[in-house]
Amino acid sequence: MRILRFLLAAAILVFLFSNAAVISAQGLSADEQILFDSANRERAAHSLPALHWDETLARAARAHAHRMAFYNIVEHQLSGEPDLQVRLTEAGARFGAFAENIAVASNAGMIHSGWMDSPGHRRNILNPNLNAIGIAAVRGNGGLFAVQDFSQQFVAMSLGEQEKKVISLMAARGIQKAAASDDARKTCEMESGISAPAARSVQAIRFEVSDLSKLPDEVEKKLRGRDFQTAAVGACKTSDGPGFAHYRIAILLF
């Protein structure tokens, strides 16, 4: 057991259902830069893409780090404070998943080493489904209080862009006869049933995801297991605001 004073905790990764835009990490303190660079060095060593800096995550991390330093307590939720999901949402983040690492120690190097020696923290840093990070490091009476907030960043796309993306993903899987259609869009808006001419034999696939960089495994399985000649794709609006966000898509198979 280490004699060095080191307290840390890892939030449970939360999923509900993107290539994130690169945002430069500017205005970081020396300690925050060390933690940012160290996390991406670990990911590079495991052939994982680098985490992008997200200022909305950093905003939430700073508020929590200052609060921990003020009260000299290391917890994911302090008395009178909203939980992590609410804090990220209030900071303006949009995400499909999130996680958090927190710690206090004498310096940033010790904090990073402690995180990598802890299975939960290490899992957050090396999680391939997370692509964005915001970090805060605040000096208090008890030491250096650090917060890493991670997310699977949600990229806003128009309905037309969503349809084009799904069509391109289907084309990459060898499905060439796919196009956007009003019937697929109407089907997307429906909770059940299909909008299509009664004379045609048609099957529908509906799905909701936060990441459109690939088709969900269950959708790909359904596409492989069905005999069809053409496909129609439709996207529809969701009620998402800040916080958890997703796309809603329907595919009609003829």
Side-chain angles (χ1 to χ4, degrees):
M1 182 175 180
R2 293 188 177 187
I3 298 175
L4 294 174
R5 183 172 184 272
F6 188 88
L7 299 175
L8 70 168
I12 296 174
L13 181 63
V14 181
F15 283 98
L16 278 191
F17 305 132
S18 106
N19 293 329
V22 176
I23 303 176
S24 60
Q26 298 178 350
L28 277 66
S29 70
D31 291 319
E32 291 163 351
Q33 191 70 55
I34 288 170
L35 294 173
F36 181 59
D37 292 342
S38 297
N40 277 330
R41 184 174 62 250
E42 301 289 356
R43 288 175 70 91
H46 289 79
S47 301
L48 294 170
L51 293 162
H52 300 283
W53 185 262
D54 186 312
E55 187 57 31
T56 62
L57 299 179
R59 190 178 305 132
R62 289 188 200 108
H64 189 57
H66 278 287
R67 195 177 184 94
M68 290 197 304
F70 180 83
Y71 289 106
N72 199 26
I73 298 174
V74 179
E75 295 287 350
H76 287 288
Q77 184 177 6
L78 301 181
S79 178
E81 183 183 39
D83 65 19
L84 176 57
Q85 180 179 338
V86 173
R87 296 200 305 271
L88 297 180
T89 299
E90 290 179 343
R94 301 190 77 196
F95 45 81
F98 62 82
E100 181 175 79
N101 287 344
I102 59 176
V104 61
S106 61
N107 60 66
M110 185 183 297
I111 288 173
H112 177 72
S113 295
W115 278 337
M116 292 306 295
D117 287 342
S118 165
H121 300 84
R122 179 187 179 90
R123 187 161 51 248
N124 287 341
I125 291 171
L126 299 180
N127 192 311
N129 295 306
L130 300 175
N131 55 20
I133 191 172
I135 300 171
V138 176
R139 182 67 63 178
N141 291 334
L144 184 67
F145 291 79
V147 178
Q148 284 181 326
D149 284 340
F150 306 84
S151 79
Q152 179 191 65
Q153 209 170 41
F154 180 83
V155 180
M157 301 170 65
S158 69
L159 297 181
E161 289 171 335
Q162 294 173 41
E163 292 167 351
K164 288 179 181 178
K165 181 63 176 178
V166 173
I167 290 169
S168 70
L169 291 171
M170 294 175 69
R173 300 297 183 271
I175 303 170
Q176 301 297 329
K177 294 184 178 181
S181 81
D182 287 337
D183 281 331
R185 293 171 185 136
K186 292 176 183 177
T187 299
C188 180
E189 295 171 351
M190 301 164 60
E191 291 301 322
S192 61
I194 301 173
S195 174
R200 301 191 68 180
S201 175
V202 57
Q203 300 177 63
I205 300 173
R206 292 184 183 84
F207 63 95
E208 297 184 3
V209 293
S210 295
D211 179 8
L212 268 184
S213 63
K214 61 179 182 179
L215 292 173
D217 291 340
E218 62 270 21
V219 172
E220 290 212 19
K221 183 177 180 180
K222 290 178 181 178
L223 291 173
R224 287 195 301 268
R226 298 189 181 188
D227 185 22
F228 57 94
Q229 301 298 316
T230 61
V233 176
C236 55
K237 293 181 179 180
T238 66
S239 58
D240 294 331
F244 275 115
H246 64 286
Y247 311 103
R248 181 176 170 89
I249 307 291
I251 301 174
L252 301 182
L253 304 177
F254 299 96

